[in-house]
Amino acid sequence: MTNKVVILGSTNVDQFLTVERYAKPGETLHVEKGQKSYGGGKGANQAIATARMGAETTFISKVGKDGLADFMFDDFKEAGMNIDYILESETEDTGQAFITVDAEGSNTIYVYGGANMAITPEDVDKAASKIKEADYIAAQLEVPVPAIIQAFKIAREAGVTTVLNPAPAEKLPEELLSLIDVIVPNEFEAEILSGIPVTDEKSMAQNADYFLDLGIKVVVITLGEQGTYYAVEGDSGLVKAYTVQTVDTTAAGDTFIGAFVSGFGVSKMNLVEAIDYANKAASLTVQKPGAQASIPLASEVDNI
């Protein structure tokens, strides 16, 4: 048994630069390695992660006619995802992300939305049949909110569980909040949405209560090396992370989402088990450089 998952989100070409340290304002630094291009975008990352974890995956996205993302389609096909709903924009270029990673594995990311920001509710309607037959639909905030609202409306009417990864974080309209079943922010995104800094387990609980009071059924706050905090009505807790040598944190959160939605409910995998499975997957991702190239297969996760 496998979950059927629709991912609505961004497709970016990641322009990747490795540095010893970040330059200070006005400073120029030499780098030893030239810039490389990789497949990226939170939507594409999550779709690949979901597919590599074994879920039946459909990806809704948009690229430009510039051919920048052509090399990514081989990886999409190899992962086994349905790419029938990756559309071409008539007016916008393919989205890009400019990523710098330092010697400690920390990253900074600047994103140009491009064609991702041209996704419309009408584009989403083209994939309505796939949304209606899914177990989960997951989205991030690298595509326009009206498109997410339309997708979640279709899902809600069909009894499909909606999952929002509110990244990059921004204040959300009530219409969207009312359509979310599961929300998966990191600690910084949770603070932006709730106004409550995440500093300890008490503040994690306060954040979770904020989301639960909005009618969201499941709250999952990812905390990096500290693990993952979860809350549902009447239950909450902290699931430990796996201690590994971090090389690059890019796509770790996206891998978590993909593994989570692929595993939750499959073979009676409960919430805590799905989070632990997602933590395992993310722990593999951070040990390799790049975004999609670092996302593991289910067989690798199962061997931990």
Side-chain angles (χ1 to χ4, degrees):
M1 178 182 176
T2 58
N3 279 340
K4 293 181 179 180
V5 180
V6 174
I7 303 292
L8 166 61
S10 56
T11 296
N12 286 333
V13 174
D14 288 352
Q15 309 291 358
F16 197 94
L17 187 66
T18 301
V19 298
E20 184 66 25
R21 65 175 176 84
Y22 295 118
K24 299 176 182 178
E27 181 183 17
T28 299
L29 293 178
H30 291 285
V31 296
E32 294 183 1
K33 296 180 180 179
Q35 179 176 287
K36 293 185 177 181
S37 297
Y38 297 94
K42 298 189 76 62
N45 295 345
Q46 291 177 19
I48 282 186
T50 304
R52 287 181 182 168
M53 293 303 118
E56 185 179 318
T57 307
T58 296
F59 186 32
I60 305 171
S61 192
K62 207 165 201 177
V63 298
K65 290 188 172 183
D66 46 37
L68 278 178
D70 286 356
F71 72 96
M72 298 170 64
F73 283 74
D74 290 338
D75 290 334
F76 293 165
K77 293 173 183 176
E78 184 178 348
M81 72 173 75
N82 178 354
I83 59 174
D84 292 345
Y85 303 98
I86 301 179
L87 308 175
E88 282 192 347
S89 172
E90 296 293 331
T91 59
E92 303 296 331
D93 294 334
T94 299
Q96 295 185 70
F98 302 89
I99 302 169
T100 303
V101 180
D102 71 8
E104 302 299 320
S106 297
N107 63 56
T108 60
I109 304 175
Y110 300 89
V111 177
Y112 161 66
N116 297 307
M117 299 311 295
I119 298 176
T120 65
E122 290 73 26
D123 293 331
V124 170
D125 286 338
K126 295 174 183 177
S129 62
K130 285 296 182 182
I131 296 172
K132 290 176 182 179
E133 66 183 32
D135 297 297
Y136 296 92
I137 179 167
Q140 331 75 41
L141 298 177
E142 289 185 341
V143 297
V145 167
I148 300 173
I149 289 173
Q150 180 64 9
F152 281 15
K153 280 183 177 179
I154 294 169
R156 179 61 61 87
E157 291 173 0
V160 176
T161 300
T162 60
V163 181
L164 183 72
N165 172 217
E170 61 183 70
K171 289 295 183 180
L172 302 175
E174 290 185 9
E175 186 177 15
L176 177 55
L177 289 168
S178 70
L179 295 167
I180 301 169
D181 295 315
V182 183
I183 193 165
V184 189
N186 64 24
E187 68 267 43
F188 307 110
E189 293 152 1
E191 178 182 346
I192 288 172
L193 293 172
S194 70
I196 303 169
V198 177
T199 56
D200 52 23
E201 197 155 345
K202 180 180 178 180
S203 59
M204 294 176 204
Q206 291 172 332
N207 264 278
D209 287 342
Y210 170 83
F211 294 116
L212 292 173
D213 289 344
L214 292 172
I216 296 171
K217 299 179 181 67
V218 180
V219 181
V220 178
I221 303 174
T222 58
L223 305 163
E225 295 178 353
Q226 297 179 62
T228 305
Y229 182 83
Y230 72 90
V232 296
E233 189 66 41
D235 186 29
S236 63
L238 187 65
V239 181
K240 292 183 179 180
Y242 289 78
T243 302
V244 296
Q245 183 65 43
T246 298
V247 174
D248 177 11
T249 58
T250 306
D254 298 328
T255 300
F256 181 96
I257 295 286
F260 177 76
V261 296
S262 70
F264 192 18
V266 174
S267 300
K268 297 183 179 178
M269 188 181 289
N270 64 29
L271 177 60
V272 172
E273 291 168 339
I275 290 172
D276 182 64
Y277 181 71
N279 281 344
K280 286 181 182 179
S283 75
L284 291 173
T285 296
V286 301
Q287 295 179 65
K288 296 180 180 180
Q292 291 164 16
S294 68
I295 297 171
L297 298 168
S299 58
E300 297 175 272
V301 182
D302 292 340
N303 284 332
I304 295 180

